[in-house]
Amino acid sequence: DGGITQSPKYLFRKEGQNVTLSCEQNLNHDAMYWYRQDPGQGLRLIYYSQIVNDFQKGDIAEGYSVSREKKESFPLTVTSAQKNPTAFYLCASSTGRISTDTQYFGPGTRLTVL
Amino acid sequence: GQNIDQPTEMTATEGAIVQINCTYQTSGFNGLFWYQQHAGEAPTFLSYNVLDGLEEKGRFSSFLSRSKGYSYLLLKELQMKDSASYLCAVKRGNTGKLIFGQGTTLQVKP
């Protein structure tokens, strides 16, 4: 089955620890995205990548880092510099073609920092 | 700047019709998406409009007026499973970046 997977679904970490969230897709999509969702708020873009070995900051990149070494994978690291890391994190991918470029989302990871 | 507005909450009755509005102000507009999101789950794609007019997909329709910066999602023959948040998102330029509204939580009552 083609799709986007994120693991784990729930993650707990102590304050001050870095944590890496996994995102994998087998849709052969070129573009991948990371969003953060807080209660009562819309999705906010953290980082995005339109092609392997290249990525760009989104609107709220501070305290986060990413890598895109493989087309299928776009892991997100939440560093200790992120002031309010507790949130629902969503990964998405799209073909990257200009004409349509619908983004499809993974199931999300709910991160709680204690 | 960029701004997308949707009502925070709406309530409707099973079997009825509901219209969820979205207004936007953004530079480089290149299309508008609607997503459905059930609590604790990922958003799922509903519709995409880039030209003015109405797009119909079964019980769901989406309308766009670019000159007015306005879109709506129309849900017909409401079912209990339609209780969810509906997210309006505007695509900017050719980067694929989306700007999301805060979402409208729809509650369908029997």
Side-chain angles (χ1 to χ4, degrees), chain A residues 9 33 35 37 40-43 45 48 50 59 88 90 97-107 110, chain B residues 30 33 35 37 39-45 48 87 91-103:
Chain A
K9 190 169 179 65
Y33 311 82
Y35 292 91
Q37 187 174 36
Q41 294 192 37
L43 279 66
L45 183 65
Y48 66 103
Q50 292 182 283
D59 300 317
F88 187 43
L90 287 158
R97 287 195 287 269
I98 294 171
S99 58
T100 50
D101 215 23
T102 300
Q103 291 184 24
Y104 296 93
F105 287 83
R110 191 168 297 279
Chain B
N30 196 18
F33 291 83
Y35 285 85
Q37 185 179 26
E41 298 182 10
T44 55
F45 169 72
Y48 171 66
L87 311 179
K91 181 178 173 184
R92 282 189 296 177
N94 293 325
T95 64
K97 291 172 67 174
L98 296 180
I99 306 170
F100 281 84
Q102 66 180 24

Side-chain angles (χ1 to χ4, degrees), chain B:
Chain B
Q2 279 81 219
N3 195 40
I4 300 176
D5 288 315
Q6 306 178 234
T8 304
E9 295 179 342
M10 297 183 72
T11 303
T13 304
E14 192 176 14
I17 299 173
V18 70
Q19 177 175 312
I20 303 174
N21 296 325
C22 172
T23 58
Y24 63 89
Q25 292 177 306
T26 185
S27 57
F29 176 84
N30 196 18
L32 187 142
F33 291 83
W34 284 96
Y35 285 85
Q36 180 191 60
Q37 185 179 26
H38 286 97
E41 298 182 10
T44 55
F45 169 72
L46 290 177
S47 68
Y48 171 66
N49 295 68
V50 66
L51 300 176
D52 289 353
L54 187 68
E55 297 276 344
E56 296 186 75
K57 270 189 186 180
R59 294 190 299 116
F60 292 5
S61 303
S62 57
F63 171 83
L64 176 66
S65 168
R66 290 173 297 172
S67 61
K68 295 182 179 178
Y70 168 68
S71 173
Y72 67 72
L73 181 70
L74 193 72
L75 290 72
K76 302 176 186 175
E77 301 169 15
L78 281 172
Q79 301 175 10
M80 298 300 291
K81 67 178 182 179
D82 296 330
S83 293
S85 288
Y86 291 86
L87 311 179
C88 170
V90 169
K91 181 178 173 184
R92 282 189 296 177
N94 293 325
T95 64
K97 291 172 67 174
L98 296 180
I99 306 170
F100 281 84
Q102 66 180 24
T104 299
T105 300
L106 172 67
Q107 185 180 18
V108 179
K109 293 185 173 179

Side-chain angles (χ1 to χ4, degrees), chain A residues 32-47:
Chain A
M32 297 186 75
Y33 311 82
W34 273 106
Y35 292 91
R36 168 187 174 135
Q37 187 174 36
D38 294 283
Q41 294 192 37
L43 279 66
R44 292 184 289 168
L45 183 65
I46 304 172
Y47 267 97

